[in-house]
Amino acid sequence: MSIKTLIVDDSAIVRSKLKQMLETHSDIVVVGSAPDPYVARNKIVELKPDVITLDLEMPRMDGLTFLRKLMKAMPLPVIIVSGITAKGCALSIEALESGAIDVIEKPSFHDQKSLEDFSARLCDKVIAASRATVAKMGARLVQARKKKLHFTKPVNTGKIIAIGASTGGTEALKTVLMNMPLNSPPIVVVQHMPGNFTNAFARRLNNSCEIEVVEAVDKMEAIPGRAIIANGSKHLKIIRRGLTKYFVSCFDGESVCRHKPSVEVLFDSVAQQAGSKAVGVMLTGMGSDGAKAMLKMHEQGAKTIAQDEKSCVVFGMPKEAIRIGAVDIVVSLENVSETIFSFL
């Protein structure tokens, strides 16, 4: 069955290009396009799309305002197609908090390779969005905030927490990290997101969390009370020095499991460097990135957690990790933080 997609963008050229790209995939059909939210509103009622791609900077009504109205009146899977300006990045993070499923940066329309990469990633995101459970976004966070944890004793030294997430993961990560106290072990995270957006994402999380949240910088130390988010265009791994210290390595390279950064790369390094001192967490996301490396973590004695299907926006990555026997326990999103500490 074809995925009916509506394109909302004020540029006729962009609308035409996106239509061409999306319709290269046999499972996607573009049922219409709109130059602004007012036209889009009527077309949503008329065409009943499964997925919407949305620009944020448009005339008459900006995309963020439109998204918020849409999520209240008729929740649908929305993918933000945004420019990589500082303003565009900040607005995109707000859009994810407001219910958008995913974000992708607009490509250079003069670079053929950039266009080809963008086309493949956009189609992947539309397919993932079509399988998402949009209504769950929002209610979960309200529940999770009521369970903020407080620990009076420092956790064992040498422990480290590794988290992987993709589609729907930005709000899931926020839910988990908001519950982490200042004396939590170091946390390293791969969230599939464009490279120009992760700094804004980390800053946003940092303002919401008790712990420090930062974008990864090569050779940065992973210390207690700090969560390090992988740069969206580089792989991330950990390196242990001595018995209890960890540092991160950020590096370029080919995509792994179709992603860069890849959860597989991070989890593989955690299995090798931390072994039984690690806790691994697989949150919502499409695909299988990280599942095999989580199994390695499990085999090395790490404790492993997967988010359950009911609380996932897309139950892909956790499902695959569970399927291959990589997971110790499956829990709802609001119980992830508590479960991490039960393993410490």
Side-chain angles (χ1 to χ4, degrees):
M1 188 173 178
S2 294
I3 300 165
K4 297 187 293 181
T5 306
L6 177 70
I7 298 167
V8 185
D9 196 293
D10 63 331
S11 166
I13 294 173
V14 172
R15 294 197 302 273
S16 175
K17 290 283 188 184
L18 293 182
K19 184 176 189 296
Q20 291 173 22
M21 292 172 183
L22 288 171
E23 292 194 332
T24 61
H25 199 290
S26 59
D27 292 338
I28 300 172
V29 57
V30 176
V31 292
S33 63
D36 64 57
Y38 290 96
V39 176
R41 179 185 58 191
N42 296 331
K43 293 206 172 185
I44 289 169
V45 174
E46 175 192 353
L47 301 170
K48 297 179 173 57
D50 301 308
V51 178
I52 296 171
T53 70
L54 178 65
D55 184 22
L56 290 175
E57 298 184 55
M58 290 183 293
R60 297 218 288 169
M61 181 191 296
D62 66 88
L64 187 58
T65 300
F66 173 64
L67 173 69
R68 289 169 174 162
K69 290 177 179 292
L70 180 66
M71 289 299 121
K72 288 181 180 178
M74 189 186 299
L76 285 170
V78 174
I79 297 168
I80 302 301
V81 183
S82 176
I84 59 173
T85 62
K87 181 181 179 182
C89 293
L91 287 173
S92 295
I93 302 304
E94 284 193 62
L96 290 168
E97 292 181 345
S98 301
I101 292 293
D102 213 335
V103 59
I104 187 170
E105 76 280 21
K106 286 183 177 177
S108 165
F109 289 104
H110 305 293
D111 182 340
Q112 188 58 35
K113 187 178 186 307
S114 172
L115 285 175
E116 290 171 0
D117 291 345
F118 173 84
S119 179
R121 286 186 290 115
L122 180 63
C123 290
D124 284 347
K125 289 180 184 296
V126 167
I127 292 166
S130 73
R131 300 173 184 171
T133 310
V134 181
K136 292 175 184 171
M137 300 189 73
R140 295 195 315 268
L141 189 56
V142 172
Q143 293 175 341
R145 282 175 173 165
K146 296 176 182 177
K147 300 190 73 172
K148 193 170 183 180
L149 304 171
H150 296 278
F151 288 84
T152 57
K153 294 181 180 179
V155 297
N156 293 335
T157 58
K159 299 286 187 178
I160 191 164
I161 301 163
I163 304 175
S166 187
T167 315
T170 54
E171 287 303 289
L173 272 172
K174 184 177 179 180
T175 299
V176 174
L177 296 182
M178 281 178 62
N179 284 329
M180 305 305 282
L182 283 172
N183 63 349
S184 68
I187 303 167
V188 283
V189 179
V190 164
Q191 162 70 52
H192 296 156
M193 181 181 282
N196 292 296
F197 292 72
T198 42
N199 195 316
F201 176 53
R203 290 200 308 271
R204 192 87 174 181
L205 284 176
N206 190 58
N207 290 334
S208 302
C209 298
E210 188 175 337
I211 62 171
E212 178 188 27
V213 184
V214 296
E215 184 185 45
V217 175
D218 193 39
K219 299 180 181 178
M220 175 184 283
E221 185 174 0
I223 60 174
R226 173 183 288 170
I228 299 175
I229 311 288
N231 179 291
S233 60
K234 292 183 178 180
H235 288 303
L236 179 73
K237 67 179 182 180
I238 65 163
I239 297 171
R240 189 179 71 190
R241 293 182 187 169
L243 294 176
T244 62
K245 287 193 173 185
Y246 298 97
F247 294 81
V248 299
S249 172
C250 309
F251 59 99
D252 207 347
E254 295 298 318
S255 296
V256 176
C257 298
R258 302 184 69 183
H259 293 284
K260 183 174 66 174
S262 167
V263 182
E264 189 78 8
V265 171
L266 175 62
F267 281 10
D268 188 67
S269 73
V270 172
Q272 293 179 40
Q273 300 289 315
S276 62
K277 290 185 175 292
V279 176
V281 182
M282 191 74 83
L283 299 177
T284 174
M286 184 178 179
S288 61
D289 185 24
K292 290 180 180 178
M294 179 172 258
L295 180 58
K296 291 181 183 178
M297 289 178 63
H298 180 73
E299 290 170 345
Q300 291 297 320
K303 298 299 185 181
T304 52
I305 303 165
Q307 185 180 346
D308 70 358
E309 183 173 9
K310 186 177 180 180
S311 65
C312 276
V313 174
V314 179
F315 189 54
M317 286 159 52
K319 181 180 180 180
E320 180 61 16
I322 295 164
R323 186 190 70 80
I324 65 173
V327 176
D328 285 310
I329 187 168
V330 181
V331 298
S332 61
L333 177 61
E334 62 263 29
N335 291 324
V336 169
S337 302
E338 192 172 18
T339 304
I340 289 171
F341 275 87
S342 75
F343 284 143
L344 296 173

